Amino acid sequence: MSRLPRTLLYLVFAVILLSRSFPVGESAIGVNWGTISFHRLKPSTVVDLLKDNKITKVKLFDADPDALTALVGSGIEVMVGIPNEMLAALSSSTDASDLWVRQNVSRYVLKGGADIRYVAVGNEPFLTSYSGQFQSLVVPALLNLQQSLVKANLAGYVKLVVPCNADAYESSLPSQGAFRPELTQIMTQLVSFLNSNGSPFVVNIYPFLSLYGNSDFPQDYAFFEGSSHPVTDGSNVYYNAFDGNFDTLVSALNKLGYGQMPIIIGEVGWPTDGAVGANLTAARFFNQGLINHVLSNKGTPLRPGFPPMDIYLFSLLDEGAKSVLPGNFERHWGIFSFDGQAKYALNLGLGNRLLKNAKNIEYLPSRWCVADPFKDLTNVANHMRIACSVADCTTLDYGGSCNGIGANGNISYAFNSYYQLQMQNAQSCDFDGLGMVTFLDPSVGDCRFLVGVTDHKKSLAFRPTHRRTTIWISILWWMWFFQML
């Protein structure tokens, strides 16, 4: 055999080996659809928004029946979530897991139904701040749910995954990545289960949080345009935090013997308000850089040419009712505002050059509640406190888009946020005579005074996801309790 054919043979053999080692195929861009909002759009409006923007993958944080019903027949691939609070019941009872699968998967996965591809079992259950609360529940819940999927003849199509926070692993250099010592055993069990059932590893990566939480973190390292502070790891050089974090996970998986496991990015994004560095310019710069980087198929130093299977941007819409315990930015991750309007120009690489706005949004009348300029506002502090304890005033704080509008502007913003939340009820703009309704938009620069939307169910205005979750937890707890008798 001549030297050239033999060389070609070796090359073909190498390609075959690589194709078996890593997932082959282009990465897809999906989005997280959260629903913890005071001003919820109709689920059908959100699905139309997804379709208009050619977004074919969506991740939910629970099994919201309204969202799943709207997704029926859409052709959009769905990842359904199970909140951490349900893990205790699901890990203890196959009856509970059978019921959950029947009610939240089987009923929708019909011909022409919702295209549920993944069930996310828990959401970052190994987070250090949980102090191991859910740690022992994850694998038993997975085993029970897998058994339930098998019974429903869905195990070959619907895959179970566990979205993990990047704090599940650690290292000063990507090549030295390892799971936290207390997680080594459970992670070995988890990745073995994922591998046996053809499921990917799902991880949430947030360079913004690294920058937000560490004043010494190099700002340019959070983005994708190169860094003046690259990380050198042997022969590999990292110019952005995303690649470094991703390869730290690859190394951690490799140490467990699963270095070729496919990886999905369950959450990644950049907020537009509520903190220093959280603004429209930075969010666009990060998200566009991320999309271009992933779709280029460059991969990372440890997986050259093989980027993540999919990435799910966090998030589709702002969620004005989310907890601000991590920071005020938590309510401002959306690439669209709460009313489905694009915040900035972004090319998702999905066929549209720019984002398309939601259509046919039904707004409340164009009127706002502001502080009466002719009244003495000396004793307004308590009214502001009450308004902001109910409505969203996070843009007023340091680093927010409304931080510089002055004291009277702050009062007006708080009054209006409450007024819109109360569906512009006349009494909600009284504030002991200190408020007044105006028909002139009081927005200033980047500080937008919102007008509410009418096309949401008022009964769902306050944290609807948690209420459904509570009902399910109650049902599953009683099933578990009677089983224990």
Side-chain angles (χ1 to χ4, degrees), residues 116-132:
I116 298 175
R117 298 294 185 93
Y118 298 104
V119 172
V121 182
N123 185 41
E124 300 184 337
F126 308 119
L127 202 64
T128 51
S129 60
Y130 290 144
S131 303

Side-chain angles (χ1 to χ4, degrees), residues 206-387:
Y206 282 107
F208 169 79
L209 296 181
S210 299
L211 183 64
Y212 176 78
N214 183 356
S215 59
D216 296 326
F217 192 88
Q219 182 168 331
D220 58 0
Y221 190 63
F223 298 94
F224 295 89
E225 299 301 315
S227 174
S228 58
H229 301 83
V231 172
T232 301
D233 185 4
S235 60
N236 295 323
V237 181
Y238 292 85
Y239 293 96
N240 66 78
F242 179 85
D243 284 357
N245 197 311
F246 185 90
D247 275 1
T248 303
L249 172 59
V250 171
S251 295
L253 290 169
N254 191 54
K255 284 182 172 60
L256 299 183
Y258 297 92
Q260 288 76 43
M261 176 163 283
I263 297 172
I264 284 177
I265 308 301
E267 297 176 25
V268 61
W270 199 279
T272 58
D273 215 327
V276 174
N279 54 66
L280 295 173
T281 301
R284 181 187 181 280
F285 195 51
F286 176 84
N287 281 330
Q288 194 63 71
L290 169 72
I291 291 165
N292 294 345
H293 179 62
V294 171
L295 294 184
S296 72
N297 289 322
K298 276 181 59 177
T300 62
L302 293 186
R303 285 193 176 179
F306 296 95
M309 278 178 64
D310 302 317
I311 64 169
Y312 290 84
L313 295 179
F314 190 86
S315 181
L316 178 65
L317 301 163
D318 280 349
E319 296 179 82
K322 284 191 73 176
S323 167
V324 294
L325 189 61
N328 289 332
F329 53 82
E330 274 299 303
R331 297 179 174 178
H332 304 282
W333 290 95
I335 58 177
F336 292 91
S337 54
F338 76 96
D339 54 353
Q341 306 306 294
K343 294 185 184 178
Y344 46 84
L346 187 66
N347 185 347
L348 297 176
L350 300 174
N352 293 337
R353 270 182 51 199
L354 301 175
L355 297 177
K356 293 186 176 182
N357 293 332
K359 299 174 182 175
N360 304 316
I361 303 301
E362 299 174 20
Y363 292 95
L364 296 171
S366 295
R367 57 190 180 212
W368 298 260
C369 178
V370 297
D372 189 331
F374 299 105
K375 296 293 178 66
D376 180 4
L377 301 175
T378 304
N379 298 315
V380 77
N382 191 50
H383 292 296
M384 279 193 69
R385 181 184 60 81
I386 293 172

Side-chain angles (χ1 to χ4, degrees), residues 331 382-394 396 410 413-415 417-418:
R331 297 179 174 178
N382 191 50
H383 292 296
M384 279 193 69
R385 181 184 60 81
I386 293 172
C388 291
S389 69
V390 177
D392 178 29
C393 299
T394 53
L396 295 176
N410 289 348
Y413 188 92
F415 282 7
S417 296
Y418 182 81

